[in-house]
Amino acid sequence: MKKSVSVIVPVYNTEEFLKECLRSIVDQTYKNLQIIVVNDASTDQSAKIIDQFVAEDNRIECITNSERMGVGYCRNLAIEHVKGDYVYFVDSDDLLHKKAIEYLLLLQGDESEIIYTSHIVKINKMDEIEESLKEQEKEEDLLHTRLLPDFGFYKRMTVLSVLFPLHLIQSLRLKFDEEVDSYSELSFLMPIYQQYKIVVGKNSYYFYRLRNDPITNPSLSQRGYDLLLHDFAHIYDRLKNRYANNEEICKYLDKQLIRLYRSNFILLMKEDKKKEAFDKLSNVMKLLSEKQVKKQNVVIRGELRALQKGQYKKYTRILGFHHFGRDTRKSLTSLNKLYRQIYRDVFMKMPLNDKKIVFASFLGKQYADSPKAIYEYMVEHYPDYEFVWVFNETGRKLPGNAKQVKRLSLAYYYHLATAKYWISNMRQPLHLKKREGNVFLETWHGTPLKRLVFDMDEVYSANPKYKKNFYQQSRLWDYLIAANPYSSEIFKSAFKFDKKMLEYGYPRNDTLYQNNNEDYISKIKKSLNMPLNKKVVLYAPTWRDDEFYEAGKYKFDLKLDLQKLREKLGDDYVIILRMHYFIANNLNIDGYEGFVFNMSKYDDIADLYLISDILITDYSSVFFDYSNLRRPIIYYAYDLEKYRDQLRGFYLDYENQMPGPILKTTDEVIDAIQHIDQIEEDYKERYDEFYEKICCWETGHATEKIVQEVFKN
Ligand code: C2G
């Protein structure tokens, strides 16, 4: 008779992942399964998803809690319903390879063995699963490797990717602790510690998801360190008492405590409530055995002893020394790390200059956007301030007498640490800290069409830390500019921004009202050597998340046929190509001189808006700003389906709300330009509506109002 396996899945609010998880269980090649799902009073759509699976597959049964009881309770409850020979736990945001259970069973020897795979693959992108499997298939012969005894089994403190014989669970009454959310596995595992034969398979078929939104919906392991410490302290205390006479288990628990202290809990001392953290740590360390303390190096030993004795001052002194030593070791490995240490330890202790402002646009790449508008206004009206601009290449010609510093140089850190005001249009580096008195004006750099941060679903293409980092960085912003009511709403949800929203329009758009005149336009055209007798078409597309050379260096493949454009439009028009600031490749326009002008390196796109008669774009926020001019806009969206549906997702209904035609080929673009008057007429109503929604706050005086509000004292 083939062994049967009971798979236990506790579920709490994992609607984004649950389908993939359950699908991977029902699709197991090993069919003799009982699947017990415990819905721990989820408040999202999880129940619906579970019901669909229950209706489809009679091996699934669902138990629903009327109130949230925690993962330990759910697993214990499910065990009472187990009918299989083995129990296998899966978390509802994870995934199994289709042969996960079949392979584990191939390793089975006698019936009392616990079987597990020695590592679990952590994933955040779906394609990583494929890659990982390909790698493993190369090592097919390892599949059947039985390693004895329990190499690494307990160190990882998890019951995932393990087959537990049911009779073992029953005879030893293995139970998860129900009072904590994290580490409840330890009480389940301790009774078998070093008592049972454990078989290890080398390959891994369990995929553990690294969730990318630890802010809105954290996994248990992503909860704050204070909660993790709380739970560990509870379990540690309980188990140390229960196994007081078992030297091996006590040693194991002590080792876990020290390991977690060094990797996680120590970081609590970097947060706000240091004394509180110290007290908690001090309490838990009192049970630590002297033997384990003695084994640590001199610094850690000092810390542990100070904790045990409740000596707060002494502890912080040793910790300071510990961090200093570690930072210095790190500093020696790169110049930037050294600068950062000087920033933290020296510059951050210097006095704050109430009259100093640091400006940055597009990560130091341009002198442009709202920071530029604010700067130029302040040069004129607030001459008693000291101005600093951050650039990647310094030595630019600027109005006023701003100091220019190279981004991430020692001078950059000095000015950031000592300036009261920061004005930037993008996120600041994660390692910058705010000081008491600092004021951060975040201007942002566009009205959003593409979904942003917390409004993005699980982003497989982005860094798994994207949401967490964004959250941390945006906590430092005191003011955020929203150019229109539409952006203001979005920024509240997408950035979880709850401080002061400045609702006066974009400083960067003031020029579109103040300089929209023949004199200014011909002055710019002349300075760019552009003909005055031809109309100008500006092509300004955005970047593609999936087309890059390396992180931050994106490539753009020009899909407009320049040859055709010149043939049909060359007599009356010239074309400006303007790439997004992330695009690293140079467009080749050899042979098109006099017709095509590559202005990708030109600082401020607002001048290009002013001198152009028509804008062609795709999904870039440029069209929101351009609509202030009420001039025609054409959408060349050759990859619309992929961009909208796979890469980003939009806030607006692209097909029905854009104030211009959506086109897929160069021929269509040419035709639209040739009939631009007709297009303006056709889209007039939609354009008016759009203008009302997007430009309603713009008066040409946003800068002035914003500066007055931020610098009112
Ligand atoms: N930009 C530019 N040239 C382009 C594209 C963009 O100068 N070819 C500038 C514009 O000022 C634009 C800003 O960069 O408004 C942002 O560009 P987007 O293409 O909209 O893309 P992204 O940088 O991803 O920002 O809320 C806005 C979003 O964050 C989008």
Side-chain angles (χ1 to χ4, degrees), residues 362 369 444-448 450 452 508 540-543 578-581 605 609 620-622 625 648:
F362 298 118
D369 210 276
W444 199 242
H445 53 274
T447 294
K450 322 167 195 175
L452 292 168
R508 72 180 186 183
T542 196
W543 55 291
R578 163 69 174 200
M579 294 303 110
H580 187 274
Y581 51 90
I605 192 172
Y609 298 152
S620 173
S621 58
V622 296
D625 303 81
R648 280 295 187 117

Side-chain angles (χ1 to χ4, degrees), residues 121-133:
V121 182
K122 296 192 172 164
I123 51 153
N124 71 299
K125 300 182 196 167
M126 297 310 290
D127 44 4
E128 281 175 6
I129 296 186
E130 299 303 319
E131 269 166 40
S132 150
L133 286 174

Side-chain angles (χ1 to χ4, degrees), residues 418-589:
T418 52
K420 172 166 177 178
Y421 297 97
W422 301 350
I423 300 180
S424 164
N425 78 340
M426 289 182 73
R427 284 184 285 158
Q428 72 283 6
L430 198 58
H431 60 268
L432 293 185
K433 299 276 175 283
K434 215 168 151 177
R435 298 173 64 176
E436 185 77 39
N438 262 151
V439 176
F440 194 146
L441 166 56
E442 171 63 43
T443 68
W444 199 242
H445 53 274
T447 294
L449 168 68
K450 322 167 195 175
R451 286 189 169 270
L452 292 168
V453 209
F454 290 103
D455 290 341
M456 287 164 95
D457 293 335
E458 203 57 15
V459 234
Y460 292 120
S461 57
N463 173 351
K465 292 204 175 141
Y466 172 61
K467 291 186 182 180
K468 186 175 174 215
N469 291 351
F470 202 110
Y471 186 76
Q472 211 171 313
Q473 288 161 316
S474 53
R475 290 321 87 186
L476 270 51
W477 305 346
D478 299 294
Y479 297 96
L480 174 62
I481 298 177
N484 38 56
Y486 158 83
S487 298
S488 182
E489 274 318 297
I490 291 174
F491 292 160
K492 280 175 208 150
S493 70
F495 298 164
K496 295 187 189 287
F497 183 75
D498 56 6
K499 294 211 201 127
K500 181 73 191 157
M501 196 81 79
L502 299 171
E503 304 184 324
Y504 304 108
Y506 258 145
R508 72 180 186 183
N509 288 342
D510 286 349
T511 175
L512 304 181
Y513 291 85
Q514 291 171 8
N515 295 317
N516 186 7
N517 58 62
E518 266 321 303
D519 279 357
Y520 189 84
I521 291 172
S522 39
K523 192 181 91 197
I524 299 289
K525 280 189 178 173
K526 277 183 201 151
S527 74
L528 299 174
N529 291 328
M530 293 184 62
L532 297 177
N533 58 348
K534 291 198 176 173
K535 290 197 166 170
V536 178
V537 176
L538 167 63
Y539 178 44
T542 196
W543 55 291
R544 304 292 185 277
D545 302 52
D546 63 340
E547 292 176 29
F548 51 85
Y549 301 103
E550 59 185 85
K553 291 200 167 158
Y554 289 82
K555 59 179 160 190
F556 189 80
D557 191 9
L558 188 64
K559 295 275 198 308
L560 269 184
D561 186 334
L562 297 178
Q563 178 72 25
K564 270 192 185 168
L565 284 170
R566 183 164 59 185
E567 270 168 31
K568 305 276 183 184
L569 304 171
D571 290 343
D572 304 317
Y573 287 94
V574 289
I575 308 276
I576 293 178
L577 298 181
R578 163 69 174 200
M579 294 303 110
H580 187 274
Y581 51 90
F582 280 170
I583 303 300
N585 55 318
N586 274 326
L587 298 177
N588 182 4
I589 54 162

Side-chain angles (χ1 to χ4, degrees), residues 600-611:
S600 302
K601 297 256 154 62
Y602 188 82
D603 267 329
D604 198 347
I605 192 172
D607 282 344
L608 307 180
Y609 298 152
L610 280 166
I611 63 169

